[in-house]
Amino acid sequence: MLFPIGIILLLISCKEPPPRPVIRLIPSPAQAIDRNGIFVISEATRIEINSENESIQHIAGFLTSHIEKYFGITNKVVAFGSGGNHFISLKIESNLKIGKEDYHLTVLPDGITIEAAAPNGLFYGIQTLIQLMPSTPKKLTEIILPGVEINDTPRFGWRGIQLDVSRHFMPKEFIFKLLDEMAMHKLNTFQWHLADDQGWRIEIKKYPLLTETGAVRKKTMIGHINDPAGTDTVSYGGFYTQSDVREIVSYASERFITVIPGVEMPGHALAALAAYPELGCTAAPYEVATKWGIFSEIYCPGKEGTFSFLNDVLTEMAGLFPGKYFHIGGADCPKIRWENCTQCQLRMKNDSLNSTRELNHYFIQRIRKTLSSLGKESVTWDENLKDTLQTNGIVLSWHNEDGVIAATKRKIQTVVTPAKFYNFDQYQSNPKNEPLAVGGLLTLEQVYKFEPVPSVLTNKEARYIIGIQANIWTPYMKTPTYVEYMTFPRAAALAEVAWSPKAGKNYPWFKKRLLEQIKRYNAEKITYCKSELKLPVN
């Protein structure tokens, strides 16, 4: 009997360890060092936290929820030093000399450690750890993770997505989902375009007509703006209550995403003027825009009532959005009404303004002053670089490289968001094979390969570039599914440019890693464009 037992023992001792999974992370970390061995997560693994802080407990909950949802394994969260030797340790160490979004992650055979100086970094470490796990949901008793040491820090502090909900309203539940998708990619700024010509989408209690009238358009344009086929006959509307807004802001905060509200002014004001026509220059009635484009009906800066209204709106909204910034637009402002408005001309005379351009500067400066009194800073499009008084706030440079250069040389914090590379309403491949879009062609590869920092800038000037942002304009995106399709996987490319070191960019390797991320898209029911990945459409 000894001989077969010996053979069995020999076979057991020669059994090869399970293979180490390949590390394919998006965005790619700043530094990843291969370590020998593996770590195995099972029901016996404990999630160890070094603080009773609510944030760290919540972050630990993200990890345990994912493991249970994807793999059916339940792990307990315990206090640091509870005993045992099979832990995932989560640590916030405020004395670490690293940024608030940085983290250190180590996977060794005897345990996993993620440490950060702030909850933000710990959260991003969790997102990376999740990507080290299998990408397809499956009931398991063990999860095998490769040995690795990761020291990570983002390239830019502002990693943003803007969603336009004026042209087409998106339900609250989809906003939650989009925020989850952003967190998956370590994106941290959600700019919420809440008011434009085609609809006012946020409840303002002092001005109920903004949502009773301004949130509803009588009909909507059919076809492309360059080849319209008339309009439909269906009333279209929707808005977020203040309770909705608080829920969304709270949900975003739990994912370390800042929500920046956007209300365009002085142009793109038709929805507001339809509700309160006295805010415009003419006595004619207004209606919420039913087509896309730029309209000459804008706020009248000759009337004090206009500023009283906007001050009230900004004050109510400031109480809903605890973030530092507020987007007031400033783009696409035809001034023909001002030129023929008696009250605007009187304003110009009384305040020694020599042109309607200076009147526009006057308008923006008054709004900035209101925001400052509310503890906020303005975010404006780069048209406002012509305002020689601007020395603070954020400029979103959407035209071309010249705007980035002009802003940074004036020491103004700048977010690079060029329409050519970061407007996600453009076609992703041959238009014949794609749903209707605004036009143009913006492939996944173009998003990935675009370098946001102009080469002519000095290192000192380049430091004023604080981030990048993609803009999702929705004239042709009627549904959440449509928005997702136009956003992904281009948002993954944007995320890597925003987070990862410039020197490490490698498009073929990115595409290979993206195929792993696509499996998570499938698991989370995220709709995405398959054309450039050569994936079957059905």
Side-chain angles (χ1 to χ4, degrees):
M1 293 296 292
L2 291 177
F3 179 76
I5 290 175
I7 294 294
I8 292 170
L9 292 173
L10 178 63
L11 290 173
I12 292 173
S13 66
C14 293
K15 182 181 178 182
E16 292 186 4
R20 297 173 74 254
V22 177
I23 298 174
R24 292 181 174 175
L25 304 173
I26 290 179
S28 181
Q31 182 188 57
I33 303 168
D34 188 63
R35 296 298 184 208
N36 292 329
I38 60 172
F39 180 82
V40 179
I41 298 176
S42 68
E43 293 273 0
T45 307
R46 300 290 183 261
I47 313 297
E48 181 183 73
I49 58 177
N50 74 334
S51 170
E52 294 299 317
N53 181 280
E54 185 177 344
S55 291
I56 194 171
Q57 291 181 349
H58 193 75
I59 292 167
F62 272 95
L63 179 59
T64 57
S65 295
H66 178 86
I67 294 173
E68 186 166 9
K69 174 184 174 182
Y70 264 61
F71 312 112
I73 295 174
T74 302
N75 302 107
K76 291 183 178 180
V77 178
V78 299
F80 189 80
S82 296
N85 58 2
H86 198 72
F87 284 97
I88 300 174
S89 295
L90 309 181
K91 300 179 180 179
I92 295 178
E93 303 284 1
S94 58
N95 59 344
L96 287 176
K97 304 300 183 182
I98 58 176
K100 72 175 185 178
E101 294 189 309
D102 301 3
Y103 66 90
H104 300 155
L105 186 158
T106 305
V107 180
L108 297 172
D110 59 350
I112 295 174
T113 299
I114 305 176
E115 60 180 2
N120 311 57
L122 192 66
F123 181 78
Y124 294 131
I126 292 294
Q127 297 304 314
T128 297
L129 180 61
I130 285 171
Q131 286 196 34
L132 292 174
M133 300 177 191
S135 51
T136 303
K138 184 179 181 181
K139 295 293 182 182
L140 297 173
T141 57
E142 294 183 337
I143 304 168
I144 300 170
L145 300 183
V148 67
E149 179 181 343
I150 293 174
N151 300 300
D152 210 359
T153 182
R155 182 183 181 192
F156 294 114
W158 180 307
R159 305 179 299 279
I161 292 283
Q162 175 182 245
L163 177 64
D164 163 26
V165 295
S166 173
R167 274 82 178 188
H168 282 103
F169 177 77
M170 297 295 147
K172 177 176 65 175
E173 292 71 23
F174 174 66
I175 304 297
F176 291 151
K177 188 181 181 191
L178 181 61
L179 292 168
D180 284 334
E181 293 161 357
M182 289 178 62
M184 180 193 300
H185 294 85
K186 299 186 175 76
L187 298 170
N188 68 354
T189 305
F190 176 57
Q191 190 164 298
W192 201 4
H193 192 77
L194 289 163
D196 211 302
D197 294 303
Q198 291 80 14
W200 185 283
R201 304 293 179 212
I202 181 170
E203 177 189 26
I204 304 296
K205 293 186 181 296
K206 190 169 184 177
Y207 297 99
L209 294 181
L210 285 172
T211 46
E212 291 176 21
T213 301
V216 182
R217 58 178 180 258
K218 296 177 181 178
K219 53 189 177 181
T220 301
M221 180 180 181
I222 298 173
H224 195 277
I225 190 172
N226 295 332
D227 186 24
T231 59
D232 60 25
T233 57
V234 181
S235 175
Y236 183 92
F239 68 92
Y240 306 94
T241 66
Q242 293 195 2
S243 176
D244 292 335
V245 171
R246 290 188 183 94
E247 282 187 64
I248 289 168
V249 169
S250 174
Y251 195 88
S253 177
E254 291 171 353
R255 288 147 184 81
F256 300 92
I257 295 171
T258 299
V259 182
I260 299 176
V263 175
E264 290 286 326
M265 58 183 81
H268 290 287
L270 262 177
L273 298 183
Y276 296 95
E278 66 272 17
L279 302 174
C281 290
T282 68
Y286 306 98
E287 68 174 15
V288 180
T290 60
K291 299 179 180 180
W292 324 128
I294 299 171
F295 302 93
S296 60
E297 306 301 344
I298 63 179
Y299 289 113
C300 176
K303 299 175 179 177
E304 275 303 304
T306 299
F307 294 103
S308 296
F309 165 81
L310 290 171
N311 290 350
D312 291 340
V313 168
L314 295 175
T315 299
E316 269 197 47
M317 292 182 68
L320 298 171
F321 296 93
K324 183 179 180 181
Y325 298 111
F326 199 110
H327 186 199
I328 57 173
D332 304 330
C333 182
K335 302 173 181 64
I336 186 171
R337 297 301 183 203
W338 293 356
E339 293 169 1
N340 299 303
C341 173
T342 302
Q343 287 158 298
C344 285
Q345 293 300 312
L346 182 61
R347 173 78 72 189
M348 291 170 62
K349 179 181 178 181
N350 291 340
D351 287 83
S352 300
L353 305 174
N354 297 315
S355 66
T356 52
R357 186 174 75 88
E358 291 187 15
L359 181 59
N360 185 57
H361 300 167
Y362 170 88
F363 181 102
I364 295 296
Q365 288 302 106
R366 285 197 60 172
I367 298 301
R368 282 200 180 108
K369 185 176 180 181
T370 295
L371 288 175
S372 179
S373 72
L374 296 169
K376 308 290 185 182
E377 288 190 38
S378 66
V379 179
T380 57
W381 299 112
D382 58 10
E383 280 91 335
N384 287 279
L385 287 172
K386 297 175 183 178
D387 181 357
T388 58
L389 299 175
Q390 182 172 355
T391 58
N392 56 17
I394 304 291
V395 165
L396 297 177
S397 183
W398 71 274
H399 280 93
N400 52 44
E401 193 175 79
D402 292 343
V404 178
I405 295 169
T408 54
K409 286 186 178 296
R410 288 167 57 181
K411 301 181 180 180
I412 298 173
Q413 291 187 311
T414 305
V415 175
V416 180
T417 179
K420 182 178 179 180
F421 295 100
Y422 290 161
N423 271 13
F424 284 3
D425 55 353
Q426 301 176 78
Y427 288 107
Q428 301 181 73
S429 65
N430 189 329
K432 293 181 180 179
N433 303 322
E434 296 287 338
L436 185 64
V438 70
L441 178 66
L442 178 58
T443 65
L444 178 70
E445 184 173 5
Q446 287 174 304
V447 176
Y448 186 83
K449 289 186 174 181
F450 173 69
E451 170 49 43
V453 179
S455 59
V456 298
L457 295 181
T458 66
N459 290 337
K460 187 175 181 180
E461 291 166 341
R463 283 198 289 269
Y464 288 98
I465 296 176
I466 61 171
I468 64 175
Q469 177 172 294
N471 301 308
I472 306 168
W473 302 109
T474 61
Y476 307 110
M477 303 181 207
K478 299 180 179 180
T479 65
T481 299
Y482 206 157
V483 169
E484 280 189 329
Y485 180 87
M486 298 298 283
T487 303
F488 297 99
R490 291 187 289 197
L494 179 92
E496 180 134 328
V497 176
W499 183 282
S500 305
K502 174 185 175 181
K505 290 173 74 171
N506 181 320
Y507 185 64
W509 175 229
F510 168 76
K511 286 184 71 174
K512 288 182 179 179
R513 287 179 283 124
L514 184 56
L515 292 175
E516 199 69 25
Q517 188 78 327
I518 290 296
K519 296 176 184 178
R520 297 185 184 91
Y521 291 179
N522 292 333
E524 298 295 338
K525 295 181 171 54
I526 299 172
T527 306
Y528 57 93
C529 178
K530 302 179 180 181
S531 58
E532 199 168 351
L533 296 171
K534 304 295 188 291
L535 295 172
V537 174
N538 296 318

